[in-house]
Amino acid sequence: MKKAVILLSGGLDSSTVAAIAKANGKELFALTIDYNQRHQIELEAARKVAHFLEIQHQVVLPVDLRIFGGSSLTDNLAVPKNVPSEQIGRSVPNTYVPARNTVFLSLALAYAETVGAGEIYLGISAVDSSGYPDSRPEFLKAFEHLANVATKLGYESARSGQPGFRIHAPLLHWSKAETIRRGLELGFDYGLTWTCYDPEPGGLSCGQCESCTLRRQGFREAGVSDPLAYE
Amino acid sequence: MKKAVILLSGGLDSSTVAAIAKANGKELFALTIDYNQRHQIELEAARKVAHFLEIQHQVVLPVDLRIFGGSSLTDNLAVPKNVPSEQIGRSVPNTYVPARNTVFLSLALAYAETVGAGEIYLGISAVDSSGYPDSRPEFLKAFEHLANVATKLGYESARSGQPGFRIHAPLLHWSKAETIRRGLELGFDYGLTWTCYDPEPGGLSCGQCESCTLRRQGFREAGVSDPLAYE
């Protein structure tokens, strides 16, 4: 049973990847980053998903990215609403958090190296977030190379001809609908996940932010109903 | 005046690099990571150095790397003492913090992207820390490539043929003595810095950990006296 770190936000994508990694027989170490995003409800979702998937190890690490500012996910800019789904991902959106995936993967790498895991799973998709520079295949390739240069495991693996760190992003070329269908095949419960960037005080999803729009379209295309309640 | 982020720990190396970057005419944004290292006194040194160099912007970001465990810098393993200086750096030492420079550079990248800086300065040296895989030239090169792939600035620079992110490590091939001589030429005060991994409760440096050993040897080789007091 090989050890792997999973970057688990509690959203639909990373939760599906956790289910996939579990189905691949990995011993999972979940890393959930509390970056003071508006949607703290996501952290609770991450805990529920880890419990549902019987993940033994979970670390919730606070890293206050608001200290840098610069994104509507972490400061007080308005979250864009009702952007047509075909326009989402055409340019770098204002929900982009500077260098977020780089920061998250580097923390996952530190966790992996500490526990002796040689693999990291994450839920990025180039399909529905093509506006984020750090959700592209080139980014993953560059990070995997860095991981092998930067760490004791990568360094010693290269010296002894062993395989080094691997970064797995199984959703990279999947649409949201394909992701949902795969999760449902694996028996995953999407009612545990959280997606909305701008939830109502009562805990309902807004249904209109970019993230909700893509999720709802994904469920429609997958031909199944979304277990979450919307405003 | 070009904006640059400096990773400023308050140690001898990063403080010298801050002095160099200032002499290069950069508008500096200092990032000091509070990773719950034993030597909290280093954070105070970072503040003093920033003040001395008239750095206008400084962020101190808490990131509790102890949550992962695995190093004598962040847990309760014994700090190695009285290791002969010629043996330091021959293997990966137990003061190695997993993926530390990757984590720190990725946070610097997030800060840089937020404030619109295109350069990051850091004080790593391949000479006296060759045992750390993330202090080698290959590591820097891999991170610089990643930075250009991962960020809006790098992404948009590449599209428009502009130069992208640059990572500067001016000490990379310098001995400690060369570093100290350069800092003194620039008028820097090494009495403000902190180096010891295992300070005495009264605030004196132990003089015997690997870090103190390399510092003291550096001052001896530079032919100047170290303004710090030792136990």
Side-chain angles (χ1 to χ4, degrees):
Chain A
M1 201 175 190
K2 285 173 90 175
K3 291 178 180 178
V5 168
I6 165 82
L7 272 167
L8 182 64
S9 71
L12 186 151
D13 292 334
S14 68
S15 300
T16 306
V17 172
I20 290 169
K22 187 183 153 79
N24 289 348
K26 304 299 175 187
E27 181 188 357
L28 292 177
F29 293 75
L31 176 59
T32 301
I33 315 278
D34 176 4
Y35 62 108
N36 267 302
Q37 59 271 61
R38 287 178 168 183
H39 39 313
Q40 284 280 330
I41 200 168
E42 225 185 335
L43 296 178
E44 194 44 48
R47 289 195 188 88
K48 288 180 191 163
V49 169
H51 181 74
F52 180 82
L53 294 173
E54 297 173 336
I55 295 174
Q56 305 284 326
H57 319 275
Q58 184 180 25
V59 161
V60 178
L61 177 68
V63 179
D64 189 357
L65 295 180
R66 285 183 310 185
I67 211 166
F68 302 134
S71 162
S72 63
L73 279 192
T74 54
D75 65 23
N76 291 321
L77 291 176
V79 170
K81 293 285 174 82
N82 297 314
V83 177
S85 62
E86 66 277 11
Q87 284 181 24
I88 297 174
R90 285 280 175 86
S91 61
V92 178
N94 83 340
T95 48
Y96 171 73
V97 177
R100 181 174 66 173
N101 287 340
T102 306
V103 170
F104 288 9
L105 272 175
S106 65
L107 292 166
L109 188 65
Y111 190 24
E113 201 172 20
T114 304
V115 300
E119 300 176 87
I120 297 170
Y121 281 79
L122 82 165
I124 66 176
S125 166
V127 176
D128 56 30
S129 57
S130 57
Y132 295 83
D134 55 357
S135 295
R136 296 174 303 146
E138 305 92 290
F139 166 72
L140 279 185
K141 198 178 152 201
F143 194 90
E144 189 170 83
H145 174 64
L146 178 75
N148 278 290
V149 169
T151 59
K152 205 167 162 177
L153 175 67
Y155 185 68
E156 290 173 356
S157 298
R159 280 177 152 187
S160 62
Q162 300 296 310
F165 262 99
R166 292 293 310 278
I167 314 291
H168 300 283
L171 314 187
L172 195 59
H173 302 293
W174 292 8
S175 70
K176 197 69 87 187
E178 289 170 306
T179 298
I180 292 164
R181 277 195 290 259
R182 181 72 186 123
L184 293 174
E185 278 169 17
L186 293 170
F188 186 69
D189 175 5
Y190 284 107
L192 303 170
T193 64
W194 188 260
T195 293
C196 182
Y197 280 162
D198 195 21
E200 292 299 298
L204 289 180
S205 297
C206 79
Q208 297 170 338
C209 66
E210 294 188 2
S211 198
C212 280
T213 301
L214 292 172
R215 178 182 173 121
R216 297 174 92 176
Q217 181 181 294
F219 275 96
R220 270 197 305 278
E221 286 177 11
V224 291
S225 67
D226 184 347
L228 284 190
Y230 291 90
E231 189 194 338
Chain B
M1 200 176 193
K2 283 172 93 176
K3 292 179 180 178
V5 168
I6 165 83
L7 272 167
L8 182 64
S9 71
L12 187 151
D13 292 334
S14 69
S15 299
T16 306
V17 172
I20 291 170
K22 188 183 151 82
N24 289 349
K26 304 299 174 186
E27 180 188 358
L28 291 177
F29 293 75
L31 176 58
T32 301
I33 315 279
D34 176 3
Y35 62 108
N36 267 302
Q37 60 272 60
R38 286 179 169 184
H39 38 313
Q40 284 280 331
I41 200 169
E42 226 185 333
L43 295 179
E44 194 43 48
R47 288 195 189 89
K48 288 180 192 163
V49 169
H51 181 76
F52 180 81
L53 293 173
E54 297 173 337
I55 295 174
Q56 305 283 326
H57 319 276
Q58 185 180 23
V59 161
V60 178
L61 176 68
V63 180
D64 190 355
L65 295 181
R66 285 182 311 186
I67 211 167
F68 302 134
S71 161
S72 64
L73 278 191
T74 54
D75 64 24
N76 291 321
L77 291 176
V79 171
K81 293 286 175 82
N82 296 315
V83 177
S85 62
E86 66 277 12
Q87 284 180 24
I88 297 174
R90 285 280 176 85
S91 61
V92 177
N94 83 339
T95 48
Y96 171 72
V97 178
R100 181 174 65 173
N101 287 340
T102 307
V103 170
F104 288 10
L105 272 175
S106 64
L107 292 166
L109 188 64
Y111 190 25
E113 202 173 18
T114 304
V115 300
E119 299 176 87
I120 298 169
Y121 280 80
L122 82 167
I124 65 176
S125 165
V127 176
D128 56 28
S129 58
S130 57
Y132 295 83
D134 55 357
S135 294
R136 296 175 303 146
E138 304 91 292
F139 166 73
L140 279 185
K141 197 178 152 200
F143 194 90
E144 189 169 85
H145 173 64
L146 179 75
N148 278 291
V149 169
T151 59
K152 204 165 162 178
L153 175 68
Y155 185 69
E156 290 173 355
S157 298
R159 280 178 151 184
S160 61
Q162 300 296 310
F165 263 99
R166 291 294 310 276
I167 314 291
H168 299 283
L171 314 186
L172 195 59
H173 302 293
W174 292 10
S175 69
K176 197 69 88 187
E178 289 170 305
T179 299
I180 292 164
R181 278 195 289 261
R182 181 70 186 124
L184 293 175
E185 278 169 18
L186 293 171
F188 186 68
D189 175 5
Y190 284 107
L192 303 171
T193 64
W194 188 261
T195 294
C196 183
Y197 281 163
D198 196 21
E200 292 298 299
L204 289 181
S205 298
C206 78
Q208 296 170 339
C209 67
E210 293 187 2
S211 197
C212 280
T213 301
L214 291 173
R215 178 181 173 120
R216 296 174 93 177
Q217 181 180 294
F219 275 97
R220 271 198 304 279
E221 286 178 12
V224 291
S225 66
D226 184 346
L228 284 191
Y230 292 90
E231 188 193 340

